[in-house]
């Protein structure tokens, strides 16, 4: 045993405090490095995109090349907006949610209830594998199933099916994890009152985990909002606002891709990206808030 | 051999050769227990941790049915009727249960928690009837005066002791024949504990109470009859007074004098 340490505790404490400070410094530097990309991205988007964002950006559809070229040569702001993209995104995400949320929550409840059964394990594994399927492959599948066979052409329905398949595993897992956090005693309290099983799920388990379920849904939605690849093969894009499930539809990420391919519309890339990024960030912050509230 | 010096006339529950094992290869957690539970009295089940007292209690309202691996043998009769012949839904309305930790439904108000048994069973009542049940149940557990102005607040805002009394009110709302309590005061402070104990003594006029406790003094204070269990066996069952003064079995005596447990 080092008697010195006991005889002279202050010297030891000083070196400990020094080490502590060095460690803290390293952590701060590494954290700054970690968050710097998002700060750089957002600041770049704001600097380059904010000029285009005005009322008509949200109320008008995307301009054609000629309009953009004229505006550019006159040194004006490119006219038009991304209304067709915004409506298309909302339309398809809504349809995808209607398909994925009920199914996902039901499967999540099933996995929670039958967690140890072999059949449940298979389903859980499949859902994990689904999360890893490249989104372009899902686009191809939806193209084969829907575009080729059901709508006989590119359609919003095909787009939302591919997005729904992406959402499904996320919702299944978040539902199962949320339900697992409810104490077993709450469930037993329900059974001890003689309540039938489906009432306990509907009136006890789901309300108790509602904020967790909403968080999972919002995160799944923000995950699919920016998906481009599957939509290119399914929804294709459209210059007009469309609310028909069997017609081609635009989406914000699709518009960004189109703007990128048109040298006259480069400015619109930044404003559309800024919009998309803001949308996703807002959803993320809301879901974080909800998640924090339940703790 | 079980020392059972209790003659019970018209018992509310009679347990016959009940054995429970947590899976089919495991040792019995409750081993061939037979006992008769007196009506309108408090029956305490005591014993050291792991002696099977909670397992025995949970067999009475068939909570073990929730876990398919658990094997239950033997019979229990409620007012002479075999509980295995009654559906669990109906059985659990006749036998209420209160758990070790207060577990009010976190998303429901105090009012909804009391009436939860009806709501979860899909029984519709007129508002006056509902209000009456809620008021009576909360008065029964001496909680009415404390919460009558905040009936629509969440039950989880109450203190631990109040929450536990709320859970008892929830069990009373159905007017059950029997109330099972699984160490209801182990998560409570002494003041809240004494309130719950006073309440139980008051409630035995209307209900038959089975109380699991590992607190011997609690059993001595409030129970009429006591069972002492050890390693799954019912070692001794008798009037609380005589068991605490002149225990018949050496293990009971050692437990009561604090030699183990």
């Amino acid at each position: 045993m080092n008697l010195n340490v006991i005889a002279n505790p202050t010297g030891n404490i000083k070196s400990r405090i020094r080490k502590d400070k060095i460690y803290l410094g390293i952590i701060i530097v590494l954290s700054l490095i970690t968050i710097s990309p998002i700060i750089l991205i957002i600041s770049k988007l704001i600097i380059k995109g904010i000029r285009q964002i005005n009322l008509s950006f949200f109320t008008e559809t995307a301009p054609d090349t000629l309009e953009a070229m004229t505006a550019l040569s006159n040194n004006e702001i490119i006219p038009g907006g991304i209304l067709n993209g915004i409506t298309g995104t909302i339309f398809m995400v809504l349809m995808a949610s209607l398909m994925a949320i009920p199914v996902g929550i039901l499967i999540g409840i099933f996995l929670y209830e039958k967690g140890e059964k072999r059949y449940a394990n298979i389903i859980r594994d499949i859902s994990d594998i689904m999360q890893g399927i490249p989104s372009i492959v899902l686009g191809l599948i939806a193209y084969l199933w829907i575009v080729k066979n059901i709508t006989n052409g590119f359609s919003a329905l095909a787009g939302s099916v591919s997005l729904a398949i992406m959402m499904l595993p996320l919702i299944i897992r978040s539902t199962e994890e949320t339900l697992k956090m409810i104490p077993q005693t709450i469930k037993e309290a329900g059974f001890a009152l003689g309540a039938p099983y489906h009432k306990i799920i509907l009136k006890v388990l789901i309300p108790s985990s509602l904020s967790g379920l909403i968080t999972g849904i919002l995160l799944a939605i923000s995950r699919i909002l920016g998906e481009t690849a599957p939509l290119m093969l399914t929804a294709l894009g459209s210059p007009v606002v469309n609310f028909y499930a069997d017609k081609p539809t635009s989406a914000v990420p699709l518009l960004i891709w189109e703007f990128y391919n048109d040298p006259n519309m480069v400015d619109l890339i930044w404003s559309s990206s800024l919009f998309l990024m803001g949308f996703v960030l807002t959803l993320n912050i809301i879901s974080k808030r909800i998640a924090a509230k339940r703790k | 051999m079980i020392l059972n010096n209790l003659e019970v006339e018209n018992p509310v529950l009679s347990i016959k050769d009940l054995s429970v094992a947590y899976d089919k290869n495991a040792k019995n957690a409750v081993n061939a227990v037979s006992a008769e539970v007196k009506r309108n009295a408090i029956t305490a089940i005591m014993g050291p941790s792991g002696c099977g007292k909670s397992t025995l209690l949970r067999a009475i309202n068939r909570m073990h049915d929730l876990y398919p691996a658990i094997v239950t043998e033997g019979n229990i009769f409620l007012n002479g009727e075999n509980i295995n012949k009654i559906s669990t839904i109906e059985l659990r309305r006749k036998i209420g249960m209160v758990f070790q930790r207060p577990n009010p439904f976190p998303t429901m108000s105090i009012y909804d928690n009391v009436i939860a048994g009806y709501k979860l069973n899909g029984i519709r009542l007129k508002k006056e009837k509902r209000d009456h049940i809620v008021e009576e149940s909360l008065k029964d557990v001496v909680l009415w005066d404390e919460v009558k102005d905040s009936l629509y607040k969440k039950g989880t805002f109450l203190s631990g002791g109040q929450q536990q009394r709320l859970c008892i009110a929830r069990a009373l709302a159905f007017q059950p024949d029997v109330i099972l309590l699984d160490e209801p005061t182990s998560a409570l402070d002494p003041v809240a504990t004494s309130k719950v104990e006073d309440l139980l003594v008051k409630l035995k006029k209307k209900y038959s109470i089975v109380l699991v406790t590992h607190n011997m003094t609690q059993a001595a204070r409030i129970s009429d009859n006591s069972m002492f269990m050890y390693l799954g066996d019912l070692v001794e069952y008798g009037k609380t007074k005589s068991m605490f003064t002149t225990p018949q079995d050496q293990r009971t005596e050692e437990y009561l004098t604090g030699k183990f447990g």
Side-chain angles (χ1 to χ4, degrees), chain A residues 117 184-197 199-200 203-204 207-209, chain B residues 58 63 66-67 89 92 97 99 103-108 116-117 119-122 170 174:
Chain A
K117 293 270 169 67
Q184 184 75 6
T185 55
I186 299 284
K187 209 169 113 188
E188 286 190 343
F191 280 113
L193 289 170
Y197 187 64
K199 290 271 184 183
I200 290 174
K203 301 225 161 150
V204 178
S208 306
S209 58
Chain B
R58 292 164 66 93
M63 284 303 266
L66 295 181
Y67 306 94
I89 291 175
R92 287 173 192 155
M97 187 172 209
F99 295 81
N103 55 355
F105 295 121
T107 53
M108 294 187 194
K119 280 207 159 169
L120 291 177
N121 280 295
R170 181 174 67 187
F174 258 135

Side-chain angles (χ1 to χ4, degrees), chain B residues 4-36:
Chain B
N4 189 341
N5 15 354
L6 205 64
E7 297 275 316
V8 179
E9 266 181 51
N10 184 20
V12 62
L13 287 169
S14 42
I15 302 164
K16 297 246 164 36
D17 285 323
L18 185 82
S19 297
V20 181
Y22 276 90
D23 67 66
K24 57 180 184 293
N25 303 318
K27 225 172 89 218
N28 281 352
V30 168
N31 199 13
V33 168
S34 295
E36 305 207 310

Side-chain angles (χ1 to χ4, degrees), chain B residues 193-258:
Chain B
T193 300
S194 82
K195 278 191 179 171
V196 170
E197 287 179 1
D198 292 347
L199 168 67
L200 294 179
V201 173
K202 210 188 80 172
L203 285 177
K204 74 176 180 185
K205 290 193 193 81
K206 282 202 215 165
Y207 307 96
S208 311
I209 294 171
V210 182
L211 168 76
V212 161
T213 178
H214 59 208
N215 181 344
M216 283 176 275
T217 53
Q218 181 172 62
R221 273 196 302 270
I222 63 172
S223 71
D224 300 284
N225 299 325
S226 296
M227 295 182 195
F228 173 67
M229 289 186 72
Y230 186 61
L231 299 176
D233 294 319
L234 178 58
V235 173
E236 190 166 343
Y237 182 33
K239 288 217 159 39
T240 303
K241 269 206 190 103
S242 56
M243 194 196 272
F244 273 81
T245 45
T246 51
Q248 305 287 307
D249 191 285
Q250 203 195 336
R251 288 168 293 178
T252 319
E253 185 178 347
E254 282 177 1
Y255 179 72
L256 292 176
T257 51

Side-chain angles (χ1 to χ4, degrees), chain A residues 167-181:
Chain A
M167 277 178 92
L168 201 56
L170 299 169
I171 291 177
I172 292 173
R173 273 339 270 273
S174 75
T175 305
E176 193 193 355
E177 296 305 320
T178 319
L179 287 173
K180 272 188 189 164
M181 283 164 67

Side-chain angles (χ1 to χ4, degrees), chain B:
Chain B
M1 207 211 94
I2 298 162
L3 290 160
N4 189 341
N5 15 354
L6 205 64
E7 297 275 316
V8 179
E9 266 181 51
N10 184 20
V12 62
L13 287 169
S14 42
I15 302 164
K16 297 246 164 36
D17 285 323
L18 185 82
S19 297
V20 181
Y22 276 90
D23 67 66
K24 57 180 184 293
N25 303 318
K27 225 172 89 218
N28 281 352
V30 168
N31 199 13
V33 168
S34 295
E36 305 207 310
V37 175
K38 199 179 162 210
R39 197 177 292 277
N40 291 346
I42 299 178
T43 305
I45 309 177
M46 304 181 287
S49 311
C51 70
K53 52 192 191 301
S54 291
T55 311
L56 171 61
L57 188 80
R58 292 164 66 93
I60 297 175
N61 68 345
R62 284 172 62 192
M63 284 303 266
H64 295 316
D65 288 18
L66 295 181
Y67 306 94
I70 298 178
V71 185
T72 310
E73 279 166 19
N75 289 307
I76 300 176
F77 297 88
L78 169 69
N79 297 323
E81 204 178 347
N82 191 333
I83 62 163
N84 292 319
K85 301 259 156 67
I86 313 173
S87 77
T88 52
I89 291 175
E90 212 176 318
L91 176 72
R92 287 173 192 155
R93 288 182 199 172
K94 291 183 182 161
I95 304 183
M97 187 172 209
V98 176
F99 295 81
Q100 193 164 358
R101 290 186 165 275
N103 55 355
F105 295 121
T107 53
M108 294 187 194
S109 65
I110 294 171
Y111 187 99
D112 285 342
N113 257 294
V114 178
I115 209 80
Y118 292 89
K119 280 207 159 169
L120 291 177
N121 280 295
I123 300 170
R124 280 167 209 277
L125 297 171
K126 288 216 173 91
K127 187 161 187 325
E128 304 96 69
K129 183 95 203 288
R130 272 204 315 260
D131 290 347
H132 180 74
I133 291 173
V134 170
E135 187 174 339
E136 285 303 306
S137 309
L138 286 173
K139 275 182 177 162
D140 273 352
V141 298
V142 210
L143 195 60
W144 175 251
D145 290 329
E146 292 161 61
V147 302
K148 65 177 176 217
D149 300 320
S150 47
L151 283 177
Y152 297 99
K153 279 194 189 155
K154 293 256 168 73
T156 41
F157 284 117
L158 298 172
S159 74
Q162 289 173 321
Q163 284 188 25
Q164 194 60 299
R165 278 181 284 151
L166 175 62
C167 292
I168 299 176
R170 181 174 67 187
L172 295 184
F174 258 135
Q175 303 279 326
D177 298 333
V178 182
I179 307 169
L180 310 173
L181 299 108
D182 190 356
E183 301 190 19
T185 58
S186 66
L188 304 183
D189 63 77
V191 177
T193 300
S194 82
K195 278 191 179 171
V196 170
E197 287 179 1
D198 292 347
L199 168 67
L200 294 179
V201 173
K202 210 188 80 172
L203 285 177
K204 74 176 180 185
K205 290 193 193 81
K206 282 202 215 165
Y207 307 96
S208 311
I209 294 171
V210 182
L211 168 76
V212 161
T213 178
H214 59 208
N215 181 344
M216 283 176 275
T217 53
Q218 181 172 62
R221 273 196 302 270
I222 63 172
S223 71
D224 300 284
N225 299 325
S226 296
M227 295 182 195
F228 173 67
M229 289 186 72
Y230 186 61
L231 299 176
D233 294 319
L234 178 58
V235 173
E236 190 166 343
Y237 182 33
K239 288 217 159 39
T240 303
K241 269 206 190 103
S242 56
M243 194 196 272
F244 273 81
T245 45
T246 51
Q248 305 287 307
D249 191 285
Q250 203 195 336
R251 288 168 293 178
T252 319
E253 185 178 347
E254 282 177 1
Y255 179 72
L256 292 176
T257 51
K259 294 221 172 83
F260 71 89

Side-chain angles (χ1 to χ4, degrees), chain A residues 83-193:
Chain A
L83 182 67
N84 51 340
I86 297 174
T87 52
T89 292
I90 291 174
F91 182 47
M92 283 192 284
V93 167
L94 218 64
M95 279 205 292
S97 304
L98 285 178
M99 289 181 242
I101 291 169
V103 180
I105 287 181
L106 285 176
I107 298 177
I109 292 172
F110 171 74
L111 293 184
Y112 162 74
E113 286 298 330
K114 305 279 173 220
E116 305 305 315
K117 293 270 169 67
R118 213 178 115 214
Y119 186 53
N121 278 328
I122 293 173
I123 291 185
R124 193 178 293 114
D125 289 346
I126 290 175
S127 128
D128 284 350
I129 292 166
M130 269 171 77
Q131 258 187 68
I133 298 177
S135 58
I136 188 109
V137 176
L138 293 179
L140 275 170
I141 298 292
Y143 175 81
L144 262 180
W145 287 349
I146 317 282
V147 175
K148 279 287 195 190
N149 288 313
I150 294 177
T151 54
N152 295 320
F154 295 106
S155 64
L157 180 70
S160 40
V161 166
S162 63
L163 294 182
I165 302 175
M166 287 193 71
M167 277 178 92
L168 201 56
L170 299 169
I171 291 177
I172 292 173
R173 273 339 270 273
S174 75
T175 305
E176 193 193 355
E177 296 305 320
T178 319
L179 287 173
K180 272 188 189 164
M181 283 164 67
I182 301 176
Q184 184 75 6
T185 55
I186 299 284
K187 209 169 113 188
E188 286 190 343
F191 280 113
L193 289 170

